[in-house]
Amino acid sequence: MSTMPNWLLKRAGLTPRRKALVFGRKSWSFEEMLHIVLETADNLAFLPIFKGSRAAVLMSNRPETVFIIHALQQIGAEVVFLNSRLTPSEWAFQLNDCKADILLFEKSFEKSVQQLSVTTKTVCINRLPKETGQLKIREEFNLDEVCSIMYTSGTTGKPKGVLQTYGNHWWSAAGSVLNLGLREDDMWLCTVPLYHISGFSILLRSVIYGIPVMLMDKFDEKKVNDALSSGKVTIMSAVSSMLNRMLSELGDETYHPNFRCLLLGGGPAPRPLLESCKKKNIPVYQTYGMTETVSQIVTLSPEDSLVKIGSAGKPLFPFQLKIMNEGREAAPLEPGEIVVRGPNVTPGYLNRETANKTSFQDGWFSTGDIGYLDEDGYVFVLDRRSDLIISGGENIYPAEIEEVLLAHPSVIEAGVTGVADEKWGQVPYAFIVSRDDISEERLVDFCRERLAPYKVPKKFIHVGELPKNGANKLVRRELVQFLK
Amino acid sequence: MSTMPNWLLKRAGLTPRRKALVFGRKSWSFEEMLHIVLETADNLAFLPIFKGSRAAVLMSNRPETVFIIHALQQIGAEVVFLNSRLTPSEWAFQLNDCKADILLFEKSFEKSVQQLSVTTKTVCINRLPKETGQLKIREEFNLDEVCSIMYTSGTTGKPKGVLQTYGNHWWSAAGSVLNLGLREDDMWLCTVPLYHISGFSILLRSVIYGIPVMLMDKFDEKKVNDALSSGKVTIMSAVSSMLNRMLSELGDETYHPNFRCLLLGGGPAPRPLLESCKKKNIPVYQTYGMTETVSQIVTLSPEDSLVKIGSAGKPLFPFQLKIMNEGREAAPLEPGEIVVRGPNVTPGYLNRETANKTSFQDGWFSTGDIGYLDEDGYVFVLDRRSDLIISGGENIYPAEIEEVLLAHPSVIEAGVTGVADEKWGQVPYAFIVSRDDISEERLVDFCRERLAPYKVPKKFIHVGELPKNGANKLVRRELVQFLK
């Protein structure tokens, strides 16, 4: 069976008066949202956008973005999500790569859009046609159909467009609900960008689960803490750097007991951070996922959130995971490449025959990430493969060193990367944001006590801020820019 | 994508120490249950039972039944559920019809099994081989594979075996969780027979959701009320007659607030019963489903459970429903046949080409039941088509008359059926269990005030008990036996 009822139409039919979206002081019920979305879809149809059109969006976290994304689903157009932090030349690459039919952009991006060298038609969403009467309501969604395309950061080579089907999104939502549960009073806070899977998946879950999204235009620790202390928000998606800032702002306070789940993604989390949360009874669920697995594939269970610190958990109910090392399944505790399988996994990259052949085998997707399973079957993600530092034949995982550095009272943020070295091939360099002028000598001593000699960074560079992507994840490969 | 991880194996891996099954004072965790189930499966393999074998089970609501059913899934055998209330000749029909390879029965059925005239091998579960070492663990379930076969009561002609795939069960569980939600402390009380979809679906949901089943060997209102007052049980499946008995026994008390959902199936519920529950704040969710839809397909939402009394709700998130009248979709409030579609719907009846052609068209299944949609899209089930009484060209729905009778203070239970009549074709007769010797005259007066003249029963017959099936549903076609 490969069809389902049209999600938003069905949800608005089932629970019309439940809240769907909260933004500042405004809110919309599912019925109200459907009304706006159908009208918007009808307007968009006049551009024209058809079923099967490929429509890129360059918009920020605002209600209009939510309505337009849903409207494109109502038409049956594929949505290409452009990361608003990129440069016009990077956008142009993506628009050309996917041969987008149209680019819908918010007024604030107008100047940048004018610099684009693309043949794609561009339309500002403030100037949509006001005509209606064209739209044919889709009663059903086909689960094999492409819903969205997101380009991965791509540490080597050019970014690749990840195809995400309706079925991928459905199974992701189903897998998550069996882990996190679902309550009538749930509300999911979204401060992560809608153009990343972390944000977009919240929008879809809202419709599938029948719960509201509280949307914020950007991450602001004060506003987030207010929301989590109000008792209205029950679930939030975040990455470590956000959580760090939230905890600093929170001081000695803690959150409302209704706040039942902080889904912490975006790479391995530093242990000191997790331990601070444990002390405050903040229910952190470490999670592991990526654009290609269309959100989480591995997440801690409620009963493990405070006991298996450092682990991302186990693969969710419908999904499978194994660790491969030199062509065979690794033993417990033996690191290797994380390979996953499930109906949430992308059918592949757009027009990337070679990458598709390399990454997908017999239904299994090779993530390129390194991790291991412990004796109880918990997944520990060590690092992104591309971040692996190989020094004198020894493998060094930057996250391990960063974790040590973050445990030092003077260190606020830390990033480690490999730098070419005549003698060793590569050596680790550390880049830190510190509270005070802590000396290199003391940091070396601190590391030496906790790490094998070859893992101790050869240099410590004090910086004002670490490079991060739109999802607030550390971008290690950009650390070397500080050396220029 | 048509595979999923083996459910019980996956669940025991995800949450090994959570409770899986409670029976009296005993309980088993998922890890413990998996251990027993794998050993049992290994024993069964020696009978032999293979992947693809068709194994009938004739067992009561006991832990051993749960283990054997799960063990057959571990082997990949199809489970044919025999209703333990049937006669040996009825069992023989089903065993021959599906060409069962083996019948597994509980010791208490030994005498009856000896009377069976079948070629099927029969094995008492107390005499399973104790050998092990044969079983190959199935890592995955194929969603298109048949998991179970259940024979429908079949009001006309011989019973038909309904094929239920793993996918049907999965989607049913997924559809239900999006309506009812899921909490860490959920426990589902099962007093309905495991051989009906109402009971079996609870077993599978327990594994898929990671929550315990509290199993009772039979329905006992005192024990049920104790369980619902204890705060341990949060969800229960029941039919009207059970709920009636529970309320009588309950007296002026009510249930623990943890008890959050009484799923009320088995046909339209009498309004007085629903209103009594509303007064006591008992969260009744009327639901509509059948063996062919592999449990619920329509259920009330939490917010509607106390406001849309009498409705079965709306079709669950992944499912669709329409009302057909003379080949076209009926208008709101216009009764017609209920036709449904969804990945929960059976792929068809076993070896029943004609019935399959009649009942399935373009993915839509004609239920044979009569109902309507109100202006807000809520489903109201009027009656099973086969129970429809046609009298002088007018349609009479027995449930409507029963509802009126049940509103009379003297009437405890009521059943109405059509009896052949020279003048009118059919006329309704009422069969009642009463508190006192209420006269026919007073009942006629009571009905005349509430029903059109042609709907008033032509006879009122006092009986000690009404005929019910294993699921405690009134079997209207058996009422005529009182007239012999």
Side-chain angles (χ1 to χ4, degrees), chain A residues 1 5 10 13-15 18 140 170-171 178 181-184 302-303 314-320 341 343, chain B residues 1 5 10 13-15 18 140 170-171 178 181-184 207 302-303 314-320 341 343:
Chain A
M1 190 72 179
K10 178 75 176 186
L14 280 176
T15 54
R18 279 197 207 163
E140 293 177 350
W170 159 259
W171 281 93
L178 294 181
L182 178 62
R183 293 167 174 260
E184 273 173 71
E303 57 262 62
K314 292 177 178 176
L316 297 177
F317 193 81
F319 313 140
Q320 294 169 274
R341 187 184 192 196
Chain B
M1 191 70 179
K10 178 75 175 184
L14 280 176
T15 53
R18 279 198 207 163
E140 293 178 349
W170 160 260
W171 281 93
L178 295 180
L182 178 61
R183 293 167 175 259
E184 274 173 70
V207 172
E303 56 261 63
K314 292 177 179 176
L316 298 177
F317 193 80
F319 313 140
Q320 294 169 275
R341 187 183 192 198

Side-chain angles (χ1 to χ4, degrees), chain A residues 14-67:
Chain A
L14 280 176
T15 54
R17 276 168 290 281
R18 279 197 207 163
K19 237 177 236 181
L21 179 65
V22 178
F23 185 78
R25 288 188 189 168
K26 281 190 168 179
S27 73
W28 294 262
S29 69
F30 283 105
E31 191 172 46
E32 289 163 346
M33 186 158 86
L34 178 68
H35 184 80
I36 299 173
V37 164
L38 289 180
E39 199 173 295
T40 307
D42 213 349
N43 297 156
L44 291 171
F46 279 86
L47 283 176
I49 298 178
F50 306 111
K51 178 155 172 33
S53 292
R54 198 164 276 166
V57 292
L58 180 54
M59 298 171 69
S60 56
N61 273 22
R62 303 183 47 76
E64 293 69 29
T65 310
V66 176
F67 302 145

Side-chain angles (χ1 to χ4, degrees), chain A residues 221-222 224-226 228-230 243 245-257 259 276-283:
Chain A
E221 56 266 46
K222 175 80 182 68
V224 167
N225 282 348
D226 285 349
L228 301 189
S229 302
S230 73
L243 183 53
R245 282 163 60 186
M246 286 156 59
L247 287 187
S248 295
E249 202 280 333
L250 190 61
D252 293 334
E253 305 290 310
T254 189
Y255 296 125
H256 194 284
F259 178 53
S276 305
C277 290
K278 184 175 175 173
K279 267 186 217 145
K280 283 180 169 287
N281 266 317
I282 298 173

Side-chain angles (χ1 to χ4, degrees), chain B residues 42-341:
Chain B
D42 214 348
N43 298 156
L44 291 171
F46 280 85
L47 283 176
I49 297 178
F50 306 112
K51 178 153 171 39
S53 293
R54 199 164 275 166
V57 291
L58 181 54
M59 298 170 69
S60 55
N61 272 24
R62 303 184 48 74
E64 292 70 29
T65 309
V66 175
F67 303 145
I68 289 216
I69 291 170
H70 281 307
L72 290 168
Q73 287 179 33
Q74 292 303 313
I75 293 176
E78 297 174 5
V79 185
V80 181
F81 285 91
L82 295 187
N83 178 333
S84 59
R85 296 198 174 197
L86 300 187
T87 61
S89 66
E90 289 170 304
W91 292 329
F93 170 82
Q94 298 183 12
L95 291 170
N96 289 327
D97 184 70
C98 72
K99 300 192 180 62
D101 295 302
I102 198 161
L103 167 64
L104 300 170
F105 64 92
E106 218 166 78
K107 190 128 187 31
S108 58
F109 296 107
E110 192 150 34
K111 278 202 176 156
S112 309
V113 167
Q114 282 163 358
Q115 299 167 37
L116 286 175
S117 57
V118 291
T119 55
T120 309
K121 178 176 176 174
T122 62
V123 177
C124 176
I125 58 153
N126 300 79
R127 291 190 289 270
L128 290 188
K130 287 293 158 215
E131 288 126 297
T132 56
Q134 189 82 330
L135 183 72
K136 260 188 65 183
I137 302 265
R138 297 172 78 197
E139 289 291 334
E140 293 178 349
F141 285 172
N142 185 325
L143 294 186
D144 296 328
E145 209 175 296
V146 171
C147 169
S148 48
I149 298 173
M150 292 185 184
Y151 278 79
T152 43
S153 346
T155 47
T156 53
K158 290 287 189 182
K160 301 186 282 289
V162 177
L163 302 171
Q164 300 172 328
T165 65
Y166 284 91
N168 292 153
H169 289 297
W170 160 260
W171 281 93
S172 169
S176 181
V177 80
L178 295 180
N179 182 48
L180 300 183
L182 178 61
R183 293 167 175 259
E184 274 173 70
D185 64 354
D186 273 334
M187 184 184 293
W188 203 312
L189 176 60
C190 177
T191 70
V192 289
L194 292 174
Y195 56 73
H196 277 317
I197 188 59
S198 53
F200 182 46
S201 63
I202 301 175
L203 285 198
L204 295 181
R205 286 171 190 191
S206 153
V207 172
I208 292 170
Y209 300 165
I211 62 169
V213 180
M214 180 186 280
L215 183 69
M216 292 191 178
D217 57 350
K218 59 175 197 288
F219 174 75
D220 175 313
E221 55 266 49
K222 176 81 181 66
K223 282 189 189 159
V224 167
N225 283 349
D226 286 349
L228 301 189
S229 303
S230 73
K232 284 184 192 159
V233 169
T234 61
I235 309 177
M236 178 192 180
S237 303
V239 297
S240 300
S241 60
M242 291 161 61
L243 183 53
N244 253 323
R245 284 162 58 186
M246 286 156 60
L247 288 186
S248 295
E249 203 279 335
L250 191 61
D252 292 334
E253 305 290 311
T254 189
Y255 297 126
H256 194 284
N258 282 1
F259 178 53
R260 67 184 186 87
C261 167
L262 190 139
L263 262 189
L264 187 66
R271 182 173 291 260
L273 177 65
L274 298 173
E275 277 165 357
S276 304
C277 289
K278 184 174 175 173
K279 267 185 217 145
K280 282 179 168 288
N281 266 317
I282 298 173
V284 173
Y285 290 51
Q286 267 214 81
T287 179
Y288 168 67
M290 63 211 77
T291 310
E292 288 92 334
T293 59
V294 186
S295 176
Q296 326 150 249
I297 186 157
V298 176
T299 306
L300 272 178
S301 296
E303 56 261 63
D304 299 326
S305 61
L306 294 179
V307 292
K308 275 282 177 179
I309 278 190
S311 168
K314 292 177 179 176
L316 298 177
F317 193 80
F319 313 140
Q320 294 169 275
L321 179 147
K322 57 187 183 183
I323 305 291
M324 295 301 290
N325 195 2
E326 297 175 357
R328 53 162 188 79
E329 255 190 89
L333 303 179
E334 181 191 351
E337 184 176 9
I338 299 173
V339 180
V340 296
R341 187 183 192 198

